[in-house]
Amino acid sequence: EIVLTQSPATLSLSPGERATLSCRASQSVSSYLAWYQQKPGQAPRLLIYDAINRATGIPARFSGSGSGTDFTLTISSLEPEDFAVYYCQQRGIWLTFGGGTKVEIK
Amino acid sequence: VQVVESGGGLVQPGRSLRLSCTTSGFTFGDYTISWVRQAPGKGLEWVGFIRSKTYGGATEYAASVKDRFTISRDDSKTIAYLQMNSLKNEDTAVYYCTRVVRDDSYFDYWGQGTLVTVSS
């Protein structure tokens, strides 16, 4: 099983700041990596797929990068609605998620 | 696209429960459908999926539920099911039904989830 490790666990930032979230895989997943956003009481929402592609309707301030074992989700300038938990997910032999990064208001 | 789960509730350990996933707004038969769960206050865990009839309706399951859970589908009704047997306390979670895209890789539409609580 491929394990995804997300860091940091919590990111405390102010609106307008840049957020950089990391996801590291225990072995290569090529570019088969996605990012999801989850707000309290809501289902997750697909943000990024294949490491770099924004899903339909996702604002341009969200961008993904990386390949192999190291991936990054960047939010260029945090909006109030971006404070949430973010999960990475890989497609290997099975589908697994990282433990999540909570982006909270500083 | 709409995805709506139902059937959750309180069940005793060792008993069974069946969840339903009712969909609309897309050609259900063309897509793999998956279940993902989230224990209270925890992260996301993939449970399993069922491929389209084009791919034989094949199923795959996470090791934690294999041989206890079964996913099925009724394309005529655009509904998927999750049959959960021999339930354990650790199966307590919100269960989400999702549409899967990009060669069974990613979850692009999610339902609102249904809570299953396993407790005596």
Side-chain angles (χ1 to χ4, degrees), chain B residues 28-43:
Chain B
F28 181 81
D30 289 348
Y31 287 87
T32 293
I33 300 297
S34 183
W35 290 89
V36 175
R37 68 184 181 182
Q38 186 169 36
K42 302 298 184 181

Side-chain angles (χ1 to χ4, degrees), chain A residues 9-21 35-40 42 45-47 54 57-63 73-87 101-106:
Chain A
T10 304
L11 197 53
S12 299
L13 295 168
S14 300
E17 289 194 294
R18 182 183 189 90
T20 303
L21 288 67
W35 291 92
Y36 299 83
Q37 175 193 67
Q38 186 178 33
K39 298 179 182 179
Q42 296 185 18
R45 176 174 70 147
L46 178 65
L47 298 175
R54 276 189 301 277
I58 302 304
R61 64 181 181 273
F62 291 92
S63 64
L73 173 69
T74 301
I75 310 171
S76 59
S77 179
L78 282 164
E79 296 288 338
E81 62 267 28
D82 298 336
F83 292 92
V85 179
Y86 293 83
Y87 295 95
T101 290
K102 181 180 181 180
V103 178
E104 65 176 22
I105 299 176
K106 186 173 182 180

Side-chain angles (χ1 to χ4, degrees), chain B residues 46-112:
Chain B
W46 172 71
V47 171
F49 63 57
I50 184 165
R51 293 186 170 96
S52 68
K53 291 292 193 291
T54 300
Y55 296 96
T59 54
E60 301 286 352
Y61 300 96
S64 58
V65 306
K66 191 174 172 60
D67 300 327
R68 298 189 300 123
F69 289 11
T70 302
I71 300 173
S72 60
R73 63 190 298 156
D74 184 335
D75 289 358
S76 68
K77 296 181 179 178
T78 68
I79 298 177
Y81 301 99
L82 176 64
Q83 176 68 42
M84 304 183 291
N85 298 332
S86 303
L87 282 161
K88 305 175 181 180
N89 293 106
E90 52 264 40
D91 294 319
T92 294
V94 173
Y95 285 75
Y96 295 102
C97 177
T98 76
R99 191 177 79 168
V100 188
V101 293
R102 310 285 296 181
D103 291 331
D104 301 337
S105 297
Y106 310 121
F107 313 102
D108 69 338
Y109 283 97
W110 299 61
Q112 83 290 348

